[in-house]
């Protein structure tokens, strides 16, 4: 372990000590994944990984978190890169939101991610924020966790004792909560090969472009002979984690996109139990979810 300590004049100090907002922390800069796991394994509870910093740094500045040390994982080669293997796409945890928009491989093998990323915040945040950070942070209003569930992604985790893979639908367990164990690092995200005839729609409603969504939908559908053979409708901004509307999916099965909306929306309204927030109550969110499903089916019909 080779901790890289900032010079004293650059170290974060207590509020007021040097005009910095974040609490005092040690800054550690590992040179490999193994070294990062060693640093984390030794003191998992008092240590945080620093990826894009776009959620962590505001939380530090607001004193919502006071970790003893930050482990800066930027620059670790094992966590970067976008590659294709047999039609499946492997995205390193440090893939920036902006790369999801510009990557030809993402456009070809996981276009839903390329459609979703422009809705995340603003360009400066998209240039730093990472896919791994967004999934690990697990904000229920975030775009990428819902996409990961809709695409049936597998999340690759590493610890000092080994590696494991978790399906995205099992990864998120509550508001800002995942199955990541102390000492684990999210290293990559694997998106399986698209199903034949798969189409993707991404929609969200927010008060202003770049704001977190009041309600959003990551939708994939497999079209065979003009009917919906299978689909995944995953909502965000309405629950404690991405919400898959399984009854609406069942109502869509075997129908054409133009025939499906009424029955699917009725099933959706019955199954959703949205969590209202200060932007919109539960009834409003249930209504918005139906609006988005109708729009998604409309897009499918003309695509
Ligand atoms: C003004 C503003 C607006 C925003 N709007 C949106 C928005 O509309 N939609 C949206 O989705 N997001 C939004 N964000 C958040 C942004 O997308 C973040 O980039 C993202 O939530 C976290 O990614 P990060 O790489 O910045 O992670 P960090 O902030 O570095 O880390 C976040 C958390 O994840 C942990 N972590 C990071 N990487 C890993 C890893 N590889 N393994 C395990 N744990 C890890 C960290 O320890 C920390 O606890 C916004 C942020 C800001 C500041």
């Amino acid at each position: 372990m080779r901790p890289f300590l900032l010079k004293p004049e650059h170290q974060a100090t207590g509020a007021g000590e040097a005009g910095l907002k974040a609490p005092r922390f040690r800054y550690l800069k590992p040179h490999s994944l193994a070294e990062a796991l060693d640093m984390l394994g030794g003191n998992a509870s008092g240590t945080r990984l620093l990826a894009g910093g776009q959620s962590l740094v505001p939380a530090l500045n607001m004193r919502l978190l006071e970790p003893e040390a930050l482990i800066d994982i930027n620059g670790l080669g094992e966590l970067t890169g976008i590659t294709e293997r047999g039609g499946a796409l492997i995205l390193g945890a440090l893939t920036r939101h902006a790369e999801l928009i510009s990557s030809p491989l993402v456009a070809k093998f996981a276009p839903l991610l390329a459609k979703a990323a422009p809705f995340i915040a603003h360009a400066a945040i998209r240039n730093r924020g990472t896919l791994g950070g967004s999934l690990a942070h697990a904000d229920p209003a975030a775009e990428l966790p819902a996409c990961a569930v809709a695409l049936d992604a597998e999340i690759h985790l590493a610890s000092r004792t080994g590696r494991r893979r978790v399906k995205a639908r099992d990864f998120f367990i509550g508001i800002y909560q995942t199955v990541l164990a102390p000492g684990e690092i999210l290293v990559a995200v694997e998106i399986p090969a698209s199903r034949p005839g798969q189409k993707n729609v991404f929609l969200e409603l927010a008060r202003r472009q770049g704001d977190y969504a009041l309600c959003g939908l990551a939708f994939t559908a497999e079209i065979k002979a003009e009917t919906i053979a299978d689909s995944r409708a995953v909502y965000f901004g309405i629950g404690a984690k991405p919400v898959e509307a399984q009854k609406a999916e069942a109502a869509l099965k075997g129908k054409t996109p133009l025939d499906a909306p009424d029955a699917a929306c009725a099933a959706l309204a019955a199954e959703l139990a949205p969590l209202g927030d200060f932007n919109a109550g539960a009834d409003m969110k249930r209504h918005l979810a139906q609006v988005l499903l109708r729009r998604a089916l409309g897009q499918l019909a003309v695509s």
Side-chain angles (χ1 to χ4, degrees):
M1 169 163 142
R2 280 176 295 174
F4 170 77
L5 295 176
L6 289 177
K7 291 178 185 166
E9 64 270 26
H10 295 143
Q11 282 190 6
T13 63
E17 285 178 55
L20 295 182
K21 293 183 282 184
R24 178 185 288 273
F25 55 81
R26 280 190 308 131
Y27 173 83
L28 306 175
K29 182 72 180 163
H31 297 88
S32 67
L33 176 61
E35 197 179 353
L37 289 169
D38 276 346
M39 290 172 173
L40 190 61
N43 181 18
S45 60
T47 307
R48 286 273 170 169
L49 299 174
L50 173 67
Q54 299 304 304
S55 296
L56 181 59
V57 173
L60 295 177
N61 288 345
M62 288 186 277
R63 300 292 176 115
L64 297 172
L65 295 172
E66 298 206 10
E68 184 268 321
L70 296 189
I71 302 172
D72 184 351
I73 56 175
N74 287 276
L76 295 185
E78 298 102 316
L79 305 186
T80 58
I82 302 175
T83 52
E84 182 259 332
R85 202 187 301 143
L89 194 67
I90 320 279
L91 301 133
L94 287 173
T95 301
R96 310 282 168 187
H97 306 327
E99 290 178 84
L100 298 176
I101 301 170
S102 63
S103 161
L105 282 178
V106 174
K108 184 168 178 194
F109 293 101
L112 186 69
L113 294 175
K115 289 180 182 180
F119 287 90
I120 302 173
H122 308 288
I125 290 159
R126 294 194 292 267
N127 285 338
R128 292 302 304 163
T130 66
L131 174 61
S134 176
L135 301 188
H137 188 55
D139 187 320
E143 289 80 359
L144 298 179
C147 291
V149 176
L151 292 169
D152 198 22
E154 259 191 355
I155 297 176
H156 297 203
L157 307 174
S159 70
R160 282 203 294 195
T161 53
R163 292 192 174 229
R164 65 179 177 131
R165 295 171 175 214
V166 180
K167 286 271 188 194
R169 61 154 51 129
D170 301 322
F171 182 73
F172 305 100
I173 52 178
I175 300 177
Y176 303 119
Q177 285 181 310
T178 70
V179 298
L180 261 169
E184 273 186 321
I185 296 182
L186 191 163
V187 292
V189 178
E190 181 168 344
I191 313 284
S194 296
R195 303 179 301 262
Q198 184 176 313
K199 307 217 174 204
N200 308 280
V201 180
F202 185 88
L203 295 167
E204 80 171 49
L205 294 164
R207 288 196 183 276
R208 296 173 305 183
Q209 168 69 35
D211 279 2
Y212 277 102
L214 299 175
C215 177
L217 173 62
F219 185 71
T220 65
E222 196 183 326
I223 306 290
K224 281 189 189 151
E226 296 182 16
T227 63
I228 300 170
D230 202 5
S231 66
R232 279 194 173 207
V234 183
Y235 284 92
F236 56 98
I238 66 163
K241 59 180 185 169
V243 175
E244 186 174 356
Q246 292 179 334
K247 294 213 165 93
E249 291 168 359
L252 291 172
K253 212 166 193 151
K255 300 214 173 62
T256 69
L258 285 178
D259 292 338
D262 289 343
C265 282
L268 182 67
E271 76 178 301
L272 286 188
L275 295 178
D277 55 37
F278 53 79
N279 285 313
D283 287 344
M284 170 75 150
K285 290 198 178 227
R286 189 178 292 105
H287 169 70
L288 296 179
Q290 293 171 74
V291 169
L292 292 183
L293 187 57
R294 282 183 191 279
R295 287 185 186 174
L297 293 168
Q299 286 195 17
L300 272 193
V302 296
S303 63

